[in-house]
Amino acid sequence: MHHKLLVAALFFILTPPPLCGGVYFVGPTGNNLNPGTRSQPWATPGFGSRQLSPGDTLILLGGRYVLSEYDADIIAPCSGRADAWITIRGETGNRPVLAGRDNLATAIDLSGRCYVRVENLEITHDAQATGEAKWFREGVEVLGEPGHHLAFRDLYIHHIDEYGMNLQDVEQVEIVNCRLEYCGFGALGGPEGTYGGWRHVTIRDCSLSWGGHYYQGGDGSDRPYDRPDGFGIEPSAGPILIEDTVAEHNYGDGLDSKAANTTIRRCIVANNSCDGVKVWADNSRIENTLIYGRGDGDPEVTPWAPIAIDQVEQAGARFEIVNVTVDDQLGNEYLLYVQYENPVPVHVTIRNCIFSGRGPNTSISVHGNSTLVADHNLFFIPQSPVLLHWGDQEYDCGKIGSLGEGNLCGDPRFVQTAWGTTGDYHLMPGSPAIDAGSRLGAPATDLEGHPRDAHPDIGAYEFGSTGLGDAQRSPTEFWLLQNYPNPFNPCTTIRLVLPQRAQVRLDICDALGRGVRTLANDQFAAGEHRMALDVHDLSAGIYFLRLQALEPAQNVVLFREVKKLVLLR
């Protein structure tokens, strides 16, 4: 199937039909002999989940629930139906906490289940326990029997011993706005499937981070699994779509997919100890993605790379890397390698990418049996005489133009590089990447959703998405710049540029357009303005920043703009 058709196939909507069943409640002060109403709720989530029928909704009221008994305390509903989903969710505005202990296997088991939706829950270990009672293995499991048509939204799973979500064979699954962090074996993964692995899975607006930094009450240094990934799955048919997601500070890889038909786009993969992004199977694409900080500030030389395409056994498998920004400070390893010592031929297209290797002995390696199309890329590898090895051929700055149209050398002029900390890889004025890309196959927007023009920039960001660049490029125009970072938790920076004095109103609105906070309603002088935004009191989700600028004397609207904010928890 054509790549675009596969990606389009992922845009299914896992939204159950209007409620056709009952609504039941669990509360911290409830009793399992109660009828399960709001005024007389059940006491335990596991019990409540087993009372549901297709079409029912179970609401967990705010509070803390301790899970310890196998399997009575595990949430394990029956399956719903296509016309009658089962929904289990936390109380709106008062997210409950499921605190596992006593080495309980999981909080939620959906093995063999279908048409189930889980949302707005926090899952972690019981921090009030001591010793081995703190041990708690996984947040969500689908193991043994396959699950399909499952939706997970607004989950915060953290500080558990094994996987945040351990999914073996799943199909038609959405994981949206979930924060999976400090999981001993990694955020999101699973064992090799026996029914095809992962198929038709979308991961969007998530944080898959800090894998391996916690294990059984400690910092993870004694964990038995050495390389916990943000995302790591075994061979599968796919398709898999990962978008608008952050994978950072994992002791393993950031994103590692053995699934065919994997698309990774608009992601930030930063400061992971091992590989940044690794794709292993046919028809995989990385686009509009920022990858930096391999090694996470540790100076020990390792064999890992920001991008790896390797161990591919299907001859002719195709891979695309488009409008990706790579920066590496550690050095002594490849920025990208393709089929290292693997003679199976694959086809790789690299277009509109920045490869910055500021450490020593850093280059790109492509096996000579594989086919390479590389055009309109910017290389900045000042401590390596060779930029790219393709079989026996070597390309330095003098020859890189012969590799493909538009390839060039030069300092990309990032706003702020980083290693082990947060960087800013927007382009500064004068960058050779500005307007130097190709329109062929380029995404219509950049990593932050800014439109690309007829002369797209090289890299993940279009120039003009930082205050400095915008102000210098269009000093006579109004600009509301994308907040940075985005997604964020809970702080971010708002920037705007005004060509004249104006009455400025800045509001944060929820997904329904309702105002939740006014940031400013005052006169601002001409120039660039920055303000810090701290929303620790808001729940995770999608918000919008709305700007209206008025002429102060005549109250005439001069400019309106809206930007999307993604708040993670």
Side-chain angles (χ1 to χ4, degrees):
M1 186 182 293
H2 192 278
H3 185 277
K4 291 183 178 179
L5 294 180
L6 284 169
V7 173
L10 287 163
F11 285 95
F12 56 87
I13 300 176
L14 288 176
T15 302
L19 292 177
C20 57
V23 179
Y24 301 96
F25 297 84
V26 168
T29 60
N31 189 307
N32 288 340
L33 297 177
N34 285 342
T37 62
R38 177 179 280 276
S39 60
Q40 294 181 289
W42 293 316
T44 58
F47 176 85
S49 71
R50 289 167 172 79
Q51 312 312 306
L52 303 178
S53 299
D56 287 347
T57 295
L58 179 66
I59 298 176
L60 276 61
L61 299 176
R64 183 172 175 272
Y65 301 84
V66 176
L67 314 181
S68 64
E69 183 180 349
Y70 183 90
D71 61 350
D73 285 342
I74 296 173
I75 294 175
C78 68
S79 292
R81 301 193 308 266
D83 64 338
W85 285 58
I86 283 179
T87 299
I88 299 173
R89 62 179 174 87
E91 182 180 17
T92 301
N94 192 16
R95 180 166 60 191
V97 177
L98 306 182
R101 56 174 292 160
D102 298 327
N103 205 28
L104 188 67
T106 186
I108 301 173
D109 186 354
L110 297 182
S111 304
R113 308 308 201 275
C114 58
Y115 300 107
V116 176
R117 184 181 186 91
V118 181
E119 58 185 18
N120 193 36
L121 300 175
E122 180 176 349
I123 302 172
T124 187
H125 74 283
D126 183 2
Q128 298 179 13
T130 59
E132 294 185 3
K134 281 187 175 182
W135 297 4
F136 172 48
R137 291 163 59 187
E138 296 182 329
V140 177
E141 283 186 356
V142 178
L143 300 174
E145 294 299 316
H148 65 88
H149 289 86
L150 305 174
F152 304 97
R153 183 181 295 270
D154 302 327
L155 302 184
Y156 179 26
I157 303 175
H158 63 100
H159 292 90
I160 60 179
D161 298 334
E162 297 182 12
Y163 285 101
M165 292 188 183
N166 191 359
L167 311 180
Q168 184 175 19
D169 290 285
V170 291
E171 183 173 5
Q172 300 285 4
V173 173
E174 277 191 345
I175 302 170
V176 178
N177 197 37
C178 292
R179 183 177 167 194
L180 313 181
E181 299 176 347
Y182 292 94
C183 301
F185 284 12
L188 181 56
E192 184 170 358
T194 56
Y195 299 91
W198 289 39
R199 294 177 290 179
H200 295 283
V201 177
T202 295
I203 302 159
R204 180 184 300 118
D205 293 324
C206 291
S207 174
L208 310 175
S209 303
W210 299 99
H213 288 259
Y214 173 85
Y215 180 71
Q216 294 184 346
D219 63 3
S221 58
D222 62 340
R223 66 186 184 278
Y225 184 42
D226 188 48
R227 290 183 57 190
D229 301 333
F231 172 84
I233 62 169
E234 298 304 314
S236 302
I240 309 294
L241 172 62
I242 307 174
E243 64 180 4
D244 301 309
T245 287
V246 175
E248 60 184 356
H249 298 293
N250 294 289
Y251 273 131
D253 303 334
L255 303 175
D256 182 342
S257 178
K258 295 184 177 72
N261 309 304
T262 293
T263 297
I264 296 169
R265 66 185 180 200
R266 297 191 305 272
C267 292
I268 297 176
V269 183
N271 295 312
N272 296 286
S273 295
C274 300
D275 294 322
V277 174
K278 190 168 188 176
V279 284
W280 302 57
D282 183 37
N283 199 30
S284 293
R285 178 180 172 95
I286 311 167
E287 69 172 49
N288 272 344
T289 290
L290 169 64
I291 306 167
Y292 71 94
R294 176 183 63 99
D296 201 9
D298 187 341
E300 181 181 356
V301 174
T302 68
W304 317 121
I307 303 179
I309 300 171
D310 199 16
Q311 302 180 45
V312 183
E313 297 303 324
Q314 179 182 344
R318 304 182 68 86
F319 300 85
E320 295 179 324
I321 306 171
V322 181
N323 283 100
V324 170
T325 294
V326 172
D327 180 65
D328 182 84
Q329 181 169 318
L330 182 57
N332 292 297
E333 188 48 82
Y334 297 117
L335 293 177
L336 157 69
Y337 65 87
V338 177
Q339 294 292 76
Y340 184 73
E341 297 185 347
N342 185 347
V344 176
V346 300
H347 179 84
V348 179
T349 297
I350 306 170
R351 180 171 293 130
N352 292 355
C353 295
I354 297 175
F355 291 98
S356 169
R358 295 175 288 115
N361 302 315
T362 300
S363 61
I364 293 170
S365 175
V366 180
H367 196 284
N369 287 357
S370 292
T371 304
L372 174 65
V373 173
D375 62 83
H376 298 86
N377 301 295
L378 175 62
F379 300 85
F380 181 61
I381 311 177
Q383 296 194 60
S384 296
V386 177
L387 307 177
L388 186 145
H389 304 260
W390 182 12
D392 295 332
Q393 303 177 70
E394 295 183 344
Y395 295 85
D396 58 14
C397 279
K399 293 179 60 178
I400 199 65
S402 66
L403 179 64
E405 181 182 357
N407 290 320
L408 67 158
C409 285
D411 184 345
R413 291 181 55 79
F414 297 128
V415 172
Q416 181 177 338
T417 58
W419 184 37
T421 58
T422 300
D424 187 343
Y425 287 87
H426 294 84
L427 302 174
M428 296 279 285
S431 169
I434 296 172
D435 295 337
S438 169
R439 296 180 65 185
L440 180 63
T445 59
D446 73 355
L447 189 156
E448 296 177 319
H450 299 107
R452 295 191 185 273
D453 56 27
H455 302 284
D457 298 345
I458 297 175
Y461 296 104
E462 280 289 289
F463 178 72
S465 56
T466 64
L468 179 60
D470 290 334
Q472 294 193 11
R473 192 175 193 180
S474 303
T476 62
E477 296 182 18
F478 288 89
W479 290 87
L480 175 60
L481 316 173
Q482 187 65 51
N483 62 300
Y484 188 85
N486 193 44
F488 66 100
N489 174 42
C491 300
T492 189
T493 299
I494 307 298
R495 291 170 290 180
L496 64 150
V497 178
L498 307 176
Q500 66 183 70
R501 188 172 187 84
Q503 178 73 28
V504 171
R505 183 179 177 106
L506 275 170
D507 294 296
I508 296 179
C509 304
D510 63 17
L512 298 178
R514 300 171 298 195
V516 297
R517 181 172 301 175
T518 297
L519 301 182
N521 188 13
D522 204 351
Q523 288 193 21
F524 281 51
E528 180 184 354
H529 301 270
R530 300 186 180 214
M531 58 191 74
L533 173 63
D534 184 341
V535 289
H536 65 276
D537 57 327
L538 296 183
S539 59
I542 305 297
Y543 294 88
F544 295 91
L545 179 65
R546 184 172 60 197
L547 166 68
Q548 178 173 270
L550 303 175
E551 201 285 323
Q554 302 180 17
N555 209 34
V556 175
V557 175
L558 300 172
F559 181 73
R560 289 192 179 97
E561 183 68 279
V562 175
K563 295 292 184 184
K564 177 182 174 182
L565 311 180
V566 180
L567 174 60
L568 300 175
R569 289 296 190 203

